[in-house]
Amino acid sequence: MPSSLTRRDVLRSGLSASAFPLLPASLRRAQGMLAAFPESASPAIAPRERLLFDFGWKFFQGNGADPARDLGFGMGQGDFSKSGDFEFASAKFDDSNWRPLNLPHDWAVELPFVHDDEQQSHGYKPLGRRYPETSIGWYRRAFEIPQEDAGRRISVLFDGAFRDALVFLNGYFIGRNDNGYAPFVFDLTDFLNYGGKNYLVVRMDASFGDGWFYEGAGIYRHVWLIKTDPLHLGNWETYVRPALKGNSATLSLGTIVQNQSRESENCLVKWQILDATGKVVASAESRPQSTAADGTSTFTAIANVSEPALWSSETPTLYSALVTVESGGKPRDTERITFGIRDIKWDADKGFFLNGERVELKGTCNHQDHAGVGAALPDRLQAFRLAVLKEMGSNAVRTSHNMPTPEWVEACDRLGMMMMCETRQMSSHPEALAQLEVMVKRYRNSPSIVLWSMGNEEWVMMPQPQGVRVIDAMIARTHELDPTRLCTAAVNQSFQTRFPEQLDVMGYNYNLPVIDDWHKAHPQMPGVGTETASTVSTRGIYSTDKLRNWVSAYDLNHTSWSELAEQWWKFYAAREWLSGGFAWTGFDYRGEPTPYGWPSINSQFGIVDTCGFPKDNFFYYKAWWGSRPLLHLFPHWNWSGREGELISVWVHSNLDSVELFLNGQSLGSQKIQPFTHLEWSVKYEPGVLEARGTKDGKLVLVEKRETTGKPESIRLTADRTEINADGEDVAIVKVEALDAQGRPIPTADYPIKFKLSGDGALIGVGNGDPNCQESDKQPQRSLFNGLAQVIVQSTQTPGRISVEAYTEQRPGPKLPATAVTITTKKVDLRPSVA
């Protein structure tokens, strides 16, 4: 890119004319840009403000077919004929009947289920052109801009909204966005009322989708108000490219400065590199140059870090770059970029290497929804989900099949989870390339990302001549923006065409019989399992029942195109040249119900269910992906009425041998072969089923399954009993029924009611049942095979949240109420719009 560009050049390149970076959540925990670091390490800061714009919105359900029920929008054809004429975005409009809410928000999860096969893949929710009364949502926010902000550039940034957005401010139309995953920015400067009230309105239309899975509806990611000097750093234009050599790292630094003033500016850019403690470990300065009015300039520099602490899955050390543009010796704008120093290599013979060591990618593919909240996940829930996967021994995730939310990427950076980052559209038309460019620019500094994916299973395009041209254009543009990473695509057919030969890393989706021959014919290309497994199972179910849409949780069931967990991992583990793979999927997800349709409303591919409760295959992966001794015995031992019948008993373990006992009597010992499981057929009798695992001749682990009694109480367990009183943090509460001895009942399935009091709100419930059509938002949920989940969120008032659970006499047993208390502690709030 040339060192100086005009505004037209910027627009042609797909870059935003407004330039506002996104700072990692891990470094936004206190007021001000530099609060996370020692004062001695902090340079003077230019007047940039990045304000969270999530609180205090109002919502109205519109109508896509009847303008009278859609604020009169589209009543004629003259809506856009005059600027400033949209009354719903002005002080004249009365929104007193609109529903107050905070963002992120997904209204699709609030809608009822509809038995409509056209809606199957999206989770049977009434969205689309045939459902105009539930496919439009309006958001409105009043806010003030002080008079002293006049002269600054002020913009609104949406991290993502589903799907088609029209944005209005103070009666004026500001802009539109027509995809559900890429962020979008609008410059508000010329349309603001300085020193008074402003009215921002967003009309969201979820009539069209981007994928074939549940995608939600509404402003389901964060919104930000950004204020900068007219001379400022470009939007996602700053990069830090580390290169390791011996005991030091050379950092190639670059950024673009945008000048939105009326005069040219002589300026330079300075970088300070800070380690995890806030200590300055390197610095650099660009050459000064003049940036034309309404133009941009590119600045570069080099810095060196001695004996860097390397980012890895085990030690995810992060550095920061404080990047400042100065003019006339004064700082005009500053941003903080988080990055990691690490080295990656893809080898056609030996697989994937991180920091010089071969690492198998033990990954999962995941969509972005969760029980209770749909696509609108609080930030804490991202870390919760990653912790579930890490507990299984996973070290990688694939963002299926779209640009991920920033908080998912940031959580991977902080927790040491590698990522294959995937764009939504495999295409080279301007909109698709713009989405790809934003994804790469926004996340190219994230050390967790080790591979870019150009898309998934484009079976129409891949065998056609257009496929080669498209993928070549996408890869070339990606390499321009990020020369440090390779590109792949998820290929499930067309293996004999030229399409997969264009990739940097071959991405295999399923098709185990094809892989060896393809590698033999293309020995110079590295390979990875971009999508594998697609094993199906229902948590806590041990006999497939097609009438109830249940699938056995034994590793016995898969689709026609896929493999069992044991099959695919044994295959990949035996081939050093394969870099590992990504199982479909880590979590069950809404929509695409497989292997059954209605009344199933979510998939059953997950290794854990939609709440994150493990299925039994979770422990297969934990045995062979994890580093600690493991012994998992299943099924449960509550089989009343089946006395004397044979029950299949399985064990997942990485020990040497396991001996099984029933009521103290040995049923035999078996040796464990790598990447397999053990089985016994046991005549059922109530009591205690026990597995004893040995390693090197010593008893290491004992696991029991006991026949439980009738329910006597409820147990509530919060993942944390203290959370931040910031209006954002959440606690995830596990709900169980216990017998008289305090043992969880694995077959409990009756309704539990909840009552919440104190300084918080219930924002979602779930139970992992793929066929459950109970409300995700009401304060009640049936247990499914002994478990349910409640998600509660703090307010900004420190205090306590009490979650009480109880049952009524019918349809389940009458159990005494029980409660768990969660303390909400005072913290510094993220800067936000008042």
Side-chain angles (χ1 to χ4, degrees):
M1 183 174 288
S3 61
S4 185
L5 299 176
T6 67
R7 183 182 183 88
R8 181 174 296 177
D9 291 329
V10 173
L11 294 173
R12 283 178 175 173
S13 71
L15 311 180
S16 171
S18 302
F20 305 106
L22 178 70
L23 305 183
S26 59
L27 301 176
R28 292 193 247 109
R29 295 177 182 168
Q31 294 280 355
M33 285 286 295
L34 301 175
F37 292 96
E39 190 67 30
S40 59
S42 303
I45 288 301
R48 169 185 287 259
E49 291 184 80
R50 184 173 185 273
L51 306 175
L52 186 65
F53 210 171
D54 284 357
F55 301 111
W57 288 78
K58 289 190 172 184
F59 177 76
F60 172 78
Q61 191 82 67
N63 190 294
D66 184 356
R69 292 186 288 166
D70 202 41
L71 308 187
F73 187 69
M75 188 67 76
Q77 290 185 296
D79 295 73
F80 295 90
S81 61
K82 296 296 181 181
S83 294
D85 201 30
F86 291 102
E87 186 172 311
F88 49 71
S90 73
K92 301 176 185 178
F93 185 78
D94 180 8
D95 64 6
S96 59
N97 291 325
W98 287 33
R99 169 186 159 197
L101 55 74
N102 296 326
L103 305 179
H105 173 241
D106 173 8
W107 84 71
V109 75
E110 304 169 358
L111 298 176
F113 298 97
V114 291
H115 189 182
D116 178 350
D117 288 343
E118 291 295 326
Q119 301 304 112
Q120 176 176 335
S121 68
H122 281 74
Y124 293 107
K125 290 294 187 176
L127 294 171
R129 293 187 66 191
R130 294 179 301 114
Y131 295 96
E133 67 277 4
T134 48
S135 296
I136 305 294
W138 291 81
Y139 296 84
R140 193 170 193 266
R141 177 67 154 85
F143 64 103
E144 294 189 2
I145 293 291
Q147 182 64 46
E148 53 266 29
D149 278 346
R152 303 173 84 182
R153 304 306 300 186
I154 301 178
S155 187
V156 61
L157 164 64
F158 296 82
D159 279 344
F162 201 87
R163 178 187 182 264
D164 300 333
L166 297 175
V167 181
F168 307 86
L169 177 71
N170 295 335
Y172 291 90
F173 173 65
I174 301 300
R176 70 176 71 237
N177 183 73
D178 293 324
N179 77 81
Y181 299 102
F184 52 102
V185 182
F186 295 117
D187 192 330
L188 307 180
T189 306
D190 294 344
F191 305 96
L192 287 165
N193 177 24
Y194 295 91
K197 282 261 188 176
N198 294 269
Y199 300 89
L200 181 66
V201 172
V202 184
R203 183 184 188 267
M204 296 301 309
D205 185 346
S207 298
F208 290 93
D210 281 307
W212 55 96
F213 38 85
Y214 179 89
E215 300 182 279
I219 307 178
Y220 72 96
R221 293 181 180 174
H222 291 308
V223 180
W224 307 89
L225 191 70
I226 315 293
K227 305 177 182 181
T228 70
D229 189 281
L231 184 71
H232 54 77
L233 296 160
N235 190 30
W236 307 309
E237 296 292 359
T238 298
Y239 63 81
V240 180
R241 296 172 182 159
L244 283 172
K245 187 175 182 180
N247 293 326
S248 66
T250 299
L251 308 182
S252 296
L253 308 170
T255 193
I256 292 177
V257 171
Q258 185 172 6
N259 180 13
Q260 291 186 279
S261 70
R262 297 180 180 181
E263 298 179 355
S264 64
E265 295 267 11
N266 290 312
C267 56
L268 56 82
V269 175
K270 293 182 177 179
W271 287 262
Q272 284 193 325
I273 308 303
L274 288 76
D275 67 13
T277 68
K279 178 183 176 182
V280 177
V281 294
S283 59
E285 183 175 311
S286 74
R287 292 181 178 179
Q289 59 179 301
S290 177
T291 301
D294 204 20
T296 65
S297 298
T298 297
F299 295 81
T300 60
I302 298 292
N304 292 286
V305 177
S306 301
E307 299 183 352
L310 303 186
W311 186 96
S312 70
S313 294
E314 296 75 25
T315 58
T317 304
L318 296 175
Y319 286 80
S320 295
L322 294 179
V323 189
T324 302
V325 55
E326 291 187 2
S327 179
K330 296 180 180 180
R332 302 286 293 276
D333 190 24
T334 296
E335 67 176 343
R336 186 195 310 273
I337 299 297
T338 302
F339 68 98
I341 299 176
R342 51 100 178 106
D343 178 72
I344 58 174
K345 177 184 177 184
W346 296 84
D347 187 274
D349 298 318
K350 299 294 185 180
F352 174 75
F353 288 78
L354 177 63
N355 300 329
E357 296 184 5
R358 184 179 185 274
V359 175
E360 290 179 301
L361 295 177
K362 302 168 181 176
T364 63
C365 307
N366 292 279
H367 286 305
Q368 62 179 9
D369 61 281
H370 190 88
V373 296
L377 275 67
D379 295 354
R380 165 62 190 167
L381 204 46
Q382 308 287 358
F384 173 85
R385 287 164 64 87
L386 275 184
V388 169
L389 298 175
K390 284 185 71 72
E391 176 63 24
M392 183 177 70
S394 178
N395 63 9
V397 293
R398 172 192 179 202
T399 66
S400 311
H401 301 286
N402 50 264
M403 178 177 176
T405 189
E407 290 72 31
W408 181 246
V409 181
E410 291 159 9
C412 287
D413 288 344
R414 294 193 306 270
L415 298 177
M417 184 72 79
M418 291 176 286
M419 175 180 287
M420 178 171 73
C421 193
E422 186 164 281
T423 191
R424 173 73 288 277
Q425 291 192 46
M426 186 187 292
S427 186
S428 56
H429 63 70
E431 170 65 21
L433 280 182
Q435 292 181 31
L436 175 66
E437 290 171 359
V438 168
M439 182 183 79
V440 174
K441 286 182 177 183
R442 188 165 194 168
Y443 296 139
R444 59 187 166 183
N445 295 308
S446 294
S448 60
I449 296 175
V450 297
L451 189 63
W452 299 114
S453 173
M454 303 295 98
N456 177 71
E457 295 183 352
E458 294 289 347
W459 53 74
V460 175
M461 184 176 68
M462 287 190 296
Q464 296 179 353
Q466 292 92 331
V468 171
R469 297 194 290 267
V470 165
I471 201 69
D472 283 351
M474 294 180 73
I475 292 174
R477 184 59 179 142
T478 302
H479 286 169
E480 287 179 26
L481 297 173
D482 177 22
T484 71
R485 294 177 180 87
L486 300 184
C487 298
T488 189
V491 179
N492 68 326
Q493 60 180 50
S494 303
F495 293 100
Q496 303 308 315
T497 69
R498 287 183 54 209
F499 181 89
E501 296 175 348
Q502 313 307 115
L503 304 175
D504 300 326
V505 177
M506 177 57 182
Y508 301 101
N509 275 25
Y510 312 107
N511 290 284
L512 295 184
V514 172
I515 295 176
D516 283 338
D517 288 342
W518 202 93
H519 176 65
K520 184 177 180 180
H522 305 83
Q524 303 306 313
M525 184 177 288
V528 65
T530 40
E531 188 172 314
T532 65
S534 276
T535 308
V536 286
S537 62
T538 311
R539 177 181 56 77
I541 296 297
Y542 299 98
S543 179
T544 296
D545 187 337
K546 294 182 179 180
L547 293 178
R548 298 185 179 185
N549 286 15
W550 288 346
V551 190
S552 163
Y554 300 113
D555 189 21
L556 295 173
N557 302 284
H558 63 85
T559 63
S560 60
W561 66 83
S562 60
E563 311 96 27
L564 302 176
E566 195 168 301
Q567 289 175 328
W568 88 267
W569 185 246
K570 189 186 298 184
F571 181 94
Y572 274 74
R575 289 158 174 78
E576 188 178 33
W577 51 269
L578 280 172
S579 302
F582 297 83
W584 188 269
T585 52
F587 281 73
D588 276 344
Y589 55 95
R590 297 171 185 272
E592 206 173 21
T594 309
Y596 307 112
W598 184 269
S600 297
I601 44 83
N602 66 252
S603 83
Q604 302 197 48
F605 290 120
I607 303 169
V608 303
D609 67 20
T610 54
C611 295
F613 296 133
K615 304 179 186 180
D616 292 289
N617 267 353
F618 177 96
F619 299 96
Y620 171 80
Y621 289 106
K622 187 173 182 178
W624 303 112
W625 285 2
S627 58
R628 299 189 300 271
L630 180 122
L631 177 63
H632 176 66
L633 172 66
F634 62 106
H636 59 73
W637 210 238
N638 282 21
W639 301 103
S640 177
R642 296 186 60 182
E643 287 77 7
E645 293 185 27
L646 288 175
I647 304 294
S648 183
V649 175
W650 284 34
V651 164
H652 289 314
S653 181
N654 53 15
L655 301 176
D656 292 339
S657 63
V658 175
E659 186 173 6
L660 188 68
F661 295 82
L662 177 58
N663 294 328
Q665 182 178 350
S666 175
L667 303 180
S669 177
Q670 297 186 42
K671 291 185 178 180
I672 300 169
Q673 299 300 318
F675 313 121
T676 64
H677 68 278
L678 302 179
E679 289 186 46
W680 289 260
S681 291
V682 181
K683 286 186 178 181
Y684 176 66
E685 62 179 63
V688 180
L689 188 69
E690 181 177 324
R692 300 176 185 174
T694 60
K695 181 78 172 178
D696 298 327
K698 297 180 181 179
L699 180 65
V700 176
L701 294 172
V702 176
E703 188 85 357
K704 296 180 180 180
R705 297 291 176 263
E706 302 182 16
T707 306
T708 59
K710 64 179 183 179
E712 297 289 345
S713 63
I714 303 168
R715 179 166 65 190
L716 301 178
T717 308
D719 70 318
R720 295 177 301 153
T721 56
E722 184 180 71
I723 64 176
N724 294 333
D726 57 6
E728 302 183 68
D729 205 359
V730 296
I732 298 99
V733 180
K734 181 169 68 173
V735 186
E736 302 168 281
L738 309 180
D739 68 5
Q741 298 183 44
R743 298 174 298 189
I745 301 172
T747 55
D749 62 355
Y750 31 84
I752 307 289
K753 290 182 176 288
F754 307 105
K755 181 180 179 181
L756 188 138
S757 60
D759 303 297
L762 185 152
I763 64 169
V765 295
N767 59 14
D769 181 355
N771 308 304
C772 183
Q773 297 188 9
E774 299 172 18
S775 169
D776 287 271
K777 298 299 182 180
Q778 292 298 314
Q780 61 184 43
R781 193 70 165 191
S782 296
L783 296 173
F784 177 63
N785 290 325
L787 295 170
Q789 185 176 86
V790 179
I791 304 173
V792 297
Q793 188 169 52
S794 67
T795 66
Q796 293 183 349
T797 302
R800 287 179 172 81
I801 305 171
S802 175
V803 181
E804 182 181 297
Y806 62 97
T807 65
E808 295 180 343
Q809 188 65 45
R810 294 179 182 179
K814 178 72 172 177
L815 300 178
T818 188
V820 63
T821 299
I822 299 156
T823 301
T824 63
K825 65 178 180 179
K826 183 178 180 180
V827 294
D828 291 330
L829 303 179
R830 293 203 279 190
S832 62
V833 178

